[in-house]
């Protein structure tokens, strides 16, 4: 039996595999705490075996990945001075291998395949949550919120946000037609409903902002690269002025009021203050990757009690930079910020100079969403999380040669593929 390598590792011919792999990966990211280690093994089984298929193509230009791995290496090294070394070591190895999976995906997935697969994955994740139908009582504000199969409305809100974003990208960035257009409409409705049902102010506000940015980018993309620069400069100045005016006019309080929030963001300002105080214990290198929220540690126990977290897990400072400073210090924070900013700037630059920039449009929007959320969530610094997978996928795309990132001409797709896998059956 012969199986063409291309149906697994060639981005132009492996749409079926890519759609399934991305959708299953998102489901694992969403519910690995429910289904346990078996689901994580399934995730690894989707990506690591591709190295055996065509290791040269799948491993990619690792010499260019130094800046991508920098933060993960700091996380690993922090296990040597961590307050909980075994936890830091295990978590950092998981984070490193998680990044490797994302970089393997970079080599074998086209941006359009990522968009469609992630859209389908979000749909499955959200439909499962709708079927579970759980609600969570928040003792801090005395309200009930829909969480589905998650333990937090913010996680449900994240997948709903991504569902809306990938639906937008599939429809308007990659110009879906036929069955994909119909699927996009269905997933968009499910995602929008879940977003509203979650009542996550973070997710609703950031989704609206990113979709607005995406619409603006689509309009700007209709003109030449030279004209785009002028329009983006004018739009940036206008946006900054509008935001400043809205803040001065009390717009933030008005928006928060719609979601029943006050200026403390349901206790997050107190949590941030506690995090800033914790940074003082080790400002340069931190207490160790995932070495703060450990059962039995006095500060963590106190904050869990303050916020009624009986499970003693799944809690954090609700700010990526405070969390990173506490765990990996200033050094780790600078490396993570560098990854975020270089990834956003790299795709933004491609938007300015490329005539065909669908992939850059999608990945810039994803990175922008993660950056905006980083001030109130920690989506990019943990293993087996959809945010970190998407960030490192976007970062990895910048290491590809320019000719690899542009659409392949139809005549190239028609050339015969010689590489094959031979599987013995007897």
């Amino acid at each position: 039996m012969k199986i063409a390598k291309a149906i697994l590792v060639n981005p132009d011919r492996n749409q079926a595999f890519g759609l399934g792999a991305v959708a299953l990966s998102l489901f694992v990211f969403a519910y690995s705490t429910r289904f346990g280690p078996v689901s994580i093994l399934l995730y690894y089984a989707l990506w690591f075996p591709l190295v055996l298929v065509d290791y040269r193509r799948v491993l990619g230009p690792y010499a260019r990945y130094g800046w991508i791995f920098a933060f993960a290496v700091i996380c690993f090294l922090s296990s040597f001075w961590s307050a909980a070394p075994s936890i830091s070591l295990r978590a950092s190895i998981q984070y490193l291998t998680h990044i490797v999976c994302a970089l393997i995906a970079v080599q074998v997935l086209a941006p359009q395949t990522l968009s469609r697969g992630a859209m389908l994955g979000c749909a499955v994740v959200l439909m499962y949550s709708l079927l579970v139908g759980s609600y969570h009582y928040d003792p801090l504000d005395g309200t009930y919120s829909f969480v589905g199969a998650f333990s937090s409305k913010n996680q449900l809100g994240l997948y709903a946000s991504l569902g809306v974003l990938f639906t937008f990208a599939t429809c308007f960035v990659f110009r879906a037609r036929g069955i994909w257009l119909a699927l996009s409409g269905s997933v968009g409705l499910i995602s929008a409903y879940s977003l509203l049902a979650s009542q996550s102010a973070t997710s609703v506000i950031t989704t609206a902002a990113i979709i607005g940015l995406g619409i603006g980018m689509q309009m700007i993309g209709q003109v030449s690269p030279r004209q785009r620069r002028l329009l983006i400069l004018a739009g940036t100045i206008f946006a900054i002025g509008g935001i400043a005016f809205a803040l001065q006019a009390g717009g933030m309080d008005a928006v928060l009021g719609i979601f029943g929030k006050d200026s403390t963001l349901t206790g997050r300002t107190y949590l941030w203050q506690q995090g800033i105080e914790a940074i003082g214990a080790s400002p340069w290198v931190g207490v160790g990757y995932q070495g703060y929220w450990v059962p039995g540690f006095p500060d963590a126990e106190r904050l869990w009690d303050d916020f009624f977290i009986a499970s003693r897990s799944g809690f954090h400072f609700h700010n990526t930079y405070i969390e990173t400073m506490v765990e990996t210090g200033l050094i780790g924070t600078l490396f993570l910020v560098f990854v975020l900013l270089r990834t956003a700037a790299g795709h933004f630059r491609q938007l300015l100079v490329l005539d065909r920039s669908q992939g850059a449009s999608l990945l810039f929007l994803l990175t922008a969403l993660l950056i905006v959320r980083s001030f109130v969530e920690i989506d990019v610094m943990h293993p087996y999380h959809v945010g970190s997978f998407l960030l490192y996928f976007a970062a990895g795309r910048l290491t590809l040669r320019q000719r690899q990132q542009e659409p392949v001409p139809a005549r190239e797709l028609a050339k015969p593929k010689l590489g094959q896998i031979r599987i013995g059956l007897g």
Side-chain angles (χ1 to χ4, degrees):
M1 176 181 177
K2 296 180 179 180
I3 301 175
K5 291 182 180 180
I7 66 173
L8 294 176
V9 299
N10 188 329
D12 300 318
R13 298 181 60 191
N14 69 347
Q15 287 84 359
F17 167 78
L19 293 175
V22 173
L24 279 173
S25 294
L26 262 66
F27 191 82
V28 170
F29 299 152
Y31 300 126
S32 60
T33 55
R34 275 181 165 257
F35 296 104
V38 173
S39 63
I40 300 300
L41 292 176
L42 172 62
Y43 165 59
Y44 283 138
L46 290 170
W47 302 109
F48 278 125
L50 297 179
V51 177
L52 302 177
V53 176
D54 188 344
Y55 73 93
R56 292 186 179 180
R57 182 186 194 111
V58 171
L59 292 180
Y62 263 67
R64 305 176 190 171
Y65 290 163
W67 63 278
I68 296 177
F69 280 107
F71 174 68
V73 170
I74 293 297
C75 293
F76 176 79
L77 293 176
S78 74
S79 61
F80 291 101
W81 61 78
S82 172
S86 61
I87 293 176
S88 296
L89 180 61
R90 182 180 67 252
S92 61
I93 292 174
Q94 291 172 339
Y95 194 54
L96 280 165
T97 55
H98 178 61
I99 294 173
V100 172
C101 288
L103 295 178
I104 289 174
V106 167
Q107 300 299 321
V108 303
L109 295 182
Q112 184 182 64
T113 303
L114 174 74
S115 180
R116 290 178 174 181
M119 182 184 72
L120 295 178
C122 288
V124 174
V125 167
L126 295 174
M127 289 175 66
Y128 181 77
S129 272
L130 291 173
L131 290 173
V132 172
S134 297
Y135 284 79
H136 178 260
Y137 175 72
D138 190 341
L140 293 178
D141 57 17
T143 61
Y144 284 90
S145 56
F146 179 72
V147 297
F150 294 94
S151 59
S152 166
K153 66 179 181 181
N154 294 320
Q155 283 301 300
L156 175 65
L158 170 60
Y159 281 89
S161 295
L162 290 173
V164 171
L165 176 54
F166 283 117
T167 296
F168 173 85
T170 299
C171 283
F172 300 105
V173 176
F174 296 106
R175 309 295 183 183
R177 295 292 184 271
I179 185 64
W180 283 107
L181 185 61
L183 284 172
S184 299
S186 301
V187 177
L189 290 174
I190 294 171
S191 301
Y193 174 80
S194 300
L195 186 62
L196 296 177
S198 72
Q199 297 182 18
S200 172
T202 297
S203 300
V204 174
I205 294 171
T206 55
T207 302
I210 295 303
I211 294 302
L213 176 63
I215 293 172
M217 287 168 50
Q218 288 303 296
M219 296 173 63
I220 292 173
Q222 303 302 314
V223 302
S224 68
R226 178 177 298 180
Q227 294 173 318
R228 289 178 203 170
R229 300 167 195 172
L230 295 176
L231 290 174
I232 289 174
L233 177 61
T236 301
I237 295 173
F238 178 80
I240 293 174
I243 292 172
F245 175 78
L247 292 176
Q248 290 292 326
M252 180 60 71
D253 291 335
V255 172
L256 292 174
I258 296 174
F259 297 94
K261 306 289 184 181
D262 55 24
S263 58
T264 69
L265 298 174
T266 319
R268 286 186 183 180
T269 52
Y270 168 73
L271 193 59
W272 295 341
Q273 179 188 10
Q274 296 299 302
I276 293 171
E277 292 180 4
I279 290 170
S282 183
W284 293 103
V285 295
V287 300
Y289 180 57
Q290 295 195 19
Y292 184 88
W293 301 102
V294 178
F297 283 22
D299 290 335
E301 292 285 351
R302 174 175 54 84
L303 291 174
W304 281 327
D305 287 335
D306 289 344
F307 286 87
F308 307 98
I309 308 298
S311 64
R312 298 306 195 255
S313 64
F315 195 59
H316 48 77
F317 286 111
H318 283 279
N319 182 289
T320 296
Y321 312 104
I322 293 175
E323 189 81 26
T324 311
M325 281 287 291
V326 170
E327 296 184 5
T328 62
L330 180 62
I331 296 175
T333 303
L334 290 177
F335 278 123
L336 182 60
V337 169
F338 180 75
V339 172
L340 282 166
L341 294 183
R342 180 170 178 177
T343 302
H347 291 295
F348 184 70
R349 178 180 176 276
Q350 291 180 10
L351 286 173
L352 295 181
V353 302
L354 293 180
D355 287 327
R356 296 174 293 182
S357 56
Q358 293 96 334
S361 297
L362 168 65
L363 297 176
F364 175 71
L365 287 175
L366 281 173
T367 309
L369 175 66
L370 294 173
I371 290 176
V372 172
R373 286 180 57 90
S374 68
F375 294 98
V376 289
E377 295 292 340
I378 58 165
D379 298 324
V380 299
M381 59 177 295
H382 284 166
Y384 317 133
H385 195 291
V386 64
S388 52
F389 183 87
L390 293 174
L391 170 64
Y392 287 106
F393 182 95
R397 288 289 299 181
L398 294 176
T399 66
L400 301 183
R401 296 186 183 278
Q402 195 62 63
R403 60 180 174 80
Q404 291 177 278
Q405 298 191 34
E406 295 180 353
V408 179
R411 62 179 180 275
E412 294 293 328
L413 297 181
K415 292 182 178 180
K417 303 296 189 278
L418 300 179
Q420 292 181 324
I421 308 170
R422 181 177 295 273
I423 301 177
L425 296 180

